[in-house]
Amino acid sequence: MHGSNSLKNKTLRGLFWSSADLFANHGFQFVIQIVLARLLLPEHFGIIGMILVLIAISNSIVDSGFSQALIRDQNTSQEDYSTVFYFNLFISILLYFLLYIAAPSISMFFQSKELIGIIRVLSLVLIMNSLAIIQRVKLTKILDFKTLMKINVIAVLTSGSISIAMAYLGFGVWSLVANMISMQFVQTLLLWSFNRWMPSLIFSTQSFIKYFSFGYKLLISGLIDTFYNNLYFLIIGKFYSVAQLGYYSNSVRIRDMASQSIVATVQRVTYPVLSSTREDEKRLKSVFRKIIKTIAFINFPLMVGIAVIATPLFQLLFGEKWLPSVYYFQLLCLAGMLYPIHALNLNILKVKGRSDLFLRLEIIKKGLLTILIVLSFLFKLGIIGLICAAVINSYLSLLINMYYSAREISYSSWEQLKDIMPSFGISLFMGISVYAVAPLLPENHFFLLLCQIMIGIIVYVGLSKLLKVKELEIIYELIISLLFKRKI
């Protein structure tokens, strides 16, 4: 019983500090994004969007699934850490030189000569990231998200200040490049300062094979997932205008600041926690069920809410030039509702060591998305059609993920759906209510936004209390315990 309470406290506090880290991080990034969006043009964001897929895929290769394998392993040694460190560093240097050489060809594909210099500079983040992977893994394993929060906040504020100053001085797209480079540099520097781990001069073939046998399937899965997550940047950048890519890129970034904060929190905290309980089937299911209900209770209203208030939000924060982003953003939020639930179900497969099943699912889901994308092109539905394909795929993929994770922990898809449906229903009712009263509210963008947010909170919390949704009480207890230092 004592062990159960200890795990609960550790998990909830881990969730709190990880959430605080990601929301503070994305909160500051959001403010920085507002300033940059007003100083720069959509085209500047579009240029960066063209090469995000290359950086994202390269980072997946650098990691190669090793970080997940290390977190899952409860008996890692100095030899293991050192082996993975040297492998990550070698691959990052190799990829940097490949991208450096390929830069002219990539710029020809997108018909933008400016990309050559940008790719060669921006690719340096791969080497910086490789130097920080083990440091981040070690902090994650002990759930020290408080330290990670400090590091990320300092990095965001430093890089944001540099990029805003450069944008104000007229550096254009290079201010966005500087933002990414300086953020990764500061994060790496601080991770080494706060976590005094040093690699030994050793590379173990045995350690490499042990982690690669688990990690390579996650690597392939990650590459497929990363490619498809960034595929739209590639498609829009090639077949549509740079401005349209800028609108889409900004919409994704703003959506991700909310949704991906929760996804990353879920993945970072629940993976090591669920890994520690994987031998106890009953306990694993119980912990998983509580987490999935709580995450749905938080993320569903957040995504529905920001989708409903998107027009006054974009008008107030970014100005008239960014209004074409609103429709993209609202559709992306519908897909973003389910991302944390996806992450949780996939974590179960990793915890159970089913990296083979993880890979199979990625192939099935991305094959389905490919069909939907092709259909949107055949029917000439444009960018809206492409985004709708992603939304439909998100909902179908959830059913697939639920089905396979259910086989590992005896938690059926129907049970999962029943557990998350109350939050889904209340969130939709809240969204409809906020949308319906909007014409009756003041036309001033600030007051309209403020009134909509307040009405949304009142309706959601009030209805949750009326229907006696337990997750409301859990969130309340967590906040009180952290504010007044009480034990949960």
Side-chain angles (χ1 to χ4, degrees), residues 255-397:
R255 190 276 310 273
D256 285 353
M257 284 180 186
S259 179
Q260 293 300 330
S261 294
I262 296 175
V263 172
T265 300
V266 168
Q267 288 179 321
R268 290 203 303 182
V269 177
T270 63
Y271 184 54
V273 168
L274 292 172
S275 292
S276 68
T277 64
R278 69 176 183 266
E279 302 302 329
D280 187 339
E281 293 289 336
K282 188 175 179 181
R283 192 178 182 194
L284 177 60
K285 178 182 176 180
S286 176
V287 171
F288 179 74
R289 189 173 186 182
K290 287 176 182 176
I291 293 173
I292 205 169
K293 290 168 72 175
T294 304
I295 294 302
F297 182 79
I298 295 169
N299 193 56
F300 286 174
L302 178 64
M303 289 292 100
V304 171
I306 59 176
V308 173
I309 65 172
T311 299
L313 180 69
F314 273 65
Q315 186 101 32
L316 181 68
L317 298 180
F318 304 113
E320 296 283 343
K321 66 182 178 182
W322 288 100
L323 282 181
S325 300
V326 169
Y327 296 116
Y328 302 167
F329 178 75
Q330 289 173 324
L331 288 170
L332 288 166
C333 285
L334 292 178
M337 287 179 70
L338 303 182
Y339 287 169
I341 313 298
H342 285 297
L344 274 168
N345 278 276
L346 293 175
N347 267 354
I348 286 295
L349 300 182
K350 288 188 284 185
V351 164
K352 286 293 187 176
R354 296 302 306 273
S355 54
D356 58 327
L357 190 53
F358 195 100
L359 173 58
R360 190 190 309 167
L361 287 184
E362 283 304 316
I363 294 171
I364 293 170
K365 290 181 294 185
K366 290 334 184 251
L368 180 61
L369 178 58
T370 300
I371 293 170
L372 292 170
I373 290 174
V374 170
L375 288 174
S376 72
F377 267 104
L378 289 176
F379 289 99
K380 299 179 181 179
L381 300 177
I383 297 178
I384 295 295
L386 285 170
I387 299 174
C388 285
V391 175
I392 295 169
N393 186 70
S394 181
Y395 282 78
L396 293 176
S397 295

